[in-house]
Every structure is written in structure tokens, then in C-alpha cells.
Amino acid sequence: KAMKEGTVNTIAVKGDRKATASGDTGEIVDLAEEKIYEINFKDKSYKVVTFAEIRKQMEEARAKAEEAARKQRAAEGKKDPGAKEMQVDFSAKDTGQRRQISGYACRQVIVTIAVHEKGKTLDEAGGMLITNDMWLAPEIAAMKEIDDFNVRYARKISPEFAMPSAETMAQVFAMYPGLAEGMAKLEAEKVNMEGTPIETVM
């Protein structure tokens, strides 16, 4: 039903609390208490999850990921020399199109991410293409308030999650060599991504 008809989320932010409601469920994030209240409006019940519990889950997931990476590095020596190297391309384009959406003057920016065999195009070798079609309005204060809260929330959970360390980024680039090159191409395009997305189609 959600895929066909969509969903409506209602978000309220005040100080250290953010409440989100959608249909029969909701959530309250309390930064001061370091707790998340998961609410079931239909059953009139709720469950509490602490930030400490979330951190523990993240640490366990990180340990599993590091173990998987170690195994992958160990297998590098046994890798088939004829194995295909993949390339990741990023692109951002301001189309120049303008539209009024919900009373806001918006401009269209299309971001594409393509993953394909190095040295060949998507048409030649196949691969994956993600297109993100965004209509950006000038920055909306209420939306920025939500974004700022989410950043504070991420930093409370894990500073590394909010801002990956140089070591973490180096590991990512080592695992996906084409990623750094693709991001460099995106940076070179210098497309203005500032503003609030009013409508997004992926």
C-alpha cells in the first residue's frame, strides 16, 4: 500500500526532542535522556531503546564488517587475475528547469551514480545506474531545524557516524578504488546543491 499510495510523516522538533508520527506508529528521540521511545498508537503501547543499546548494536555490526574485510583482504591474493575491476561514476547536473512546488520556486538538479566495468560503458558491459531527480527550493528554516537535530542525534550516537575519520574513508577507498575517482569528478562539476529538496524521485 505504501509503495502505491505513499506515506505521510509528521515531524515536530523542540529543543532536545524530535517526534515523528506515521500511521499507527511513532517515535520520540530525546537527546537529553539519550532514549528513543517507539510508540504504537493503535495498541496504546511504547518501547524504550537507549542510545547505549544502539551503540552496542553498531559496535557489533562494525566488528562483523571488519572481520568480513579481513577475510576479503586475505582472499585478495587468491583473486582471479582476470577478475573485472569495477568503476563508480558520479554526476550532478543543474538542468536549468524551474517549477513552483507547494508554493516554493524550485530548480531541478539530477544526480546519477553509475557502477560498471572499468574501461567500458554501461551499454557495453551492463551494471547499475541510480538516478536522483531533485527539485531544490531555497533553504527552508523548519527543514534545516530537522537536519540540525539529526546531526546532533548522529553525533550523540557516534561521532564517527556523523563525521567519518580519515582512516575510515581510507579503508572505504581501498575497498572501492573507483570511488575516490568518481567523487573527484563530482567535485569538479561544482554544481550548486544548496537548498531544500521539495520533491525527489529516485
Side-chain angles (χ1 to χ4, degrees):
K1 183 179 177 182
M3 291 295 286
K4 290 179 182 177
E5 300 175 16
T7 59
V8 176
N9 289 338
T10 303
I11 301 173
V13 173
K14 185 174 182 180
D16 284 339
R17 285 184 171 180
K18 182 181 82 168
T20 306
S22 180
D24 293 332
T25 60
E27 178 184 85
I28 297 172
V29 177
D30 192 315
L31 299 182
E33 291 184 1
E34 295 201 354
K35 290 178 180 176
I36 299 169
Y37 297 84
E38 297 173 356
I39 306 164
N40 187 318
F41 297 117
K42 192 174 182 180
D43 296 341
K44 295 184 179 178
S45 63
Y46 70 93
K47 183 174 78 172
V48 182
V49 180
T50 67
F51 286 13
E53 289 171 324
I54 295 174
R55 290 187 196 105
K56 184 180 177 184
Q57 291 170 3
M58 289 177 65
E59 283 299 322
E60 288 171 354
R62 183 181 302 174
K64 287 180 183 177
E66 287 175 355
E67 178 62 25
R70 275 196 295 272
K71 289 179 180 177
Q72 184 177 338
R73 284 195 295 270
E76 286 292 319
K78 304 171 187 176
K79 192 165 67 174
D80 179 3
K84 298 173 182 176
E85 186 179 345
M86 303 306 287
Q87 180 174 328
V88 184
D89 292 328
F90 294 88
S91 175
K93 180 184 178 185
D94 190 324
T95 66
Q97 296 294 313
R98 301 289 185 267
R99 263 176 67 195
Q100 285 285 128
I101 303 175
S102 300
Y104 295 101
C106 301
R107 58 191 177 87
Q108 186 184 39
V109 174
I110 297 177
V111 176
T112 58
I113 304 170
V115 182
H116 56 91
E117 185 180 344
K118 191 166 187 177
K120 292 187 178 180
T121 66
L122 269 170
D123 290 336
E124 291 170 343
M128 180 177 70
L129 179 66
I130 299 172
T131 304
N132 205 3
D133 185 344
M134 295 183 289
W135 290 89
L136 299 173
E139 192 173 90
I140 300 170
M143 297 300 291
K144 186 176 187 304
E145 190 177 6
I146 294 170
D147 290 341
D148 290 346
F149 182 95
N150 291 339
V151 169
R152 288 196 292 143
Y153 175 33
R155 285 179 178 153
K156 275 265 189 178
I157 293 293
S158 170
E160 287 184 19
F161 183 75
M163 185 60 67
S165 65
E167 183 182 356
T168 300
M169 293 305 295
Q171 289 173 351
V172 171
F173 290 145
M175 289 175 69
Y176 305 100
L179 193 60
E181 186 181 341
M183 290 180 72
K185 288 179 184 175
L186 179 63
E187 176 65 20
E189 292 178 13
K190 297 291 182 187
V191 173
N192 179 12
M193 298 292 290
E194 293 179 2
T196 299
I198 298 297
E199 182 178 294
T200 304
V201 178
M202 184 180 286

